[in-house]
């Protein structure tokens, strides 16, 4: 698969910045712009939402984790709710991103 373009992870009112990772200046989503001080906290509002394990692929992915409907990540489930998590994982590898993309292309949203 091709190399993944990584976008800035800053959010404002749940809108995600559409500029490249590490960009200079203001964050931007369509015509809305914001500074770091106006960004949403990194904790996803989907933390502690009720969840069930997502559908599995032939190899078992996503390994019993639930899908967060807000940040579209797969998150551990504790006591039938999503564990506390951030809207992004700065350590996510290209391989992990591609696996998630494959899951969404197979199962949809």
């Amino acid at each position: 698969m091709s190399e993944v373009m990584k976008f800035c992870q800053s959010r404002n009112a749940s809108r995600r910045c559409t500029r490249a990772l590490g960009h200079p200046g203001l964050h931007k989503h369509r015509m809305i712009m914001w500074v770091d001080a106006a960004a949403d906290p990194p904790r996803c509002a989907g933390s502690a939402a009720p969840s069930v394990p997502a559908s599995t692929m032939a190899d078992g992915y996503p390994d019993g984790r639930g899908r967060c409907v807000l940040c579209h990540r797969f998150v551990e489930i504790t006591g039938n709710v999503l564990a506390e998590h951030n809207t992004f994982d700065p350590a996510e590898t290209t391989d992990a991103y591609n696996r998630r993309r494959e899951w969404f292309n197979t199962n949809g949203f």
Side-chain angles (χ1 to χ4, degrees):
M1 292 193 179
S2 61
E3 183 62 29
V4 174
M5 180 177 173
K6 302 216 176 189
F7 288 94
C8 177
Q9 301 298 318
S10 182
R11 294 178 187 248
N12 176 272
S14 297
R15 292 178 292 259
R16 188 174 186 173
C17 179
T18 55
R19 298 184 72 192
L21 188 64
H23 68 84
L26 297 172
H27 300 286
K28 179 180 178 188
H29 180 87
R30 296 189 180 146
M31 298 303 291
I32 308 228
M33 300 180 90
W34 66 93
V35 296
D36 287 338
D40 294 345
R43 181 183 182 272
C44 181
S47 295
S51 186
V52 295
S55 301
T56 57
M57 309 248 326
D59 64 356
Y61 183 84
D63 308 311
R65 295 175 292 168
R67 181 179 65 86
C68 179
V69 297
L70 295 180
C71 68
H72 305 295
R73 292 184 53 217
F74 293 106
V75 181
E76 296 297 326
I77 298 173
T78 9
N80 297 325
V81 298
L82 294 175
E84 186 171 320
H85 62 283
N86 289 342
T87 56
F88 67 94
D89 178 4
E92 182 177 49
T93 65
T94 299
D95 288 341
Y97 175 86
N98 287 335
R99 293 290 298 151
R100 190 161 40 104
R101 178 173 59 183
E102 179 183 1
W103 187 95
F104 279 104
N105 284 337
T106 302
N107 295 285
F109 282 82

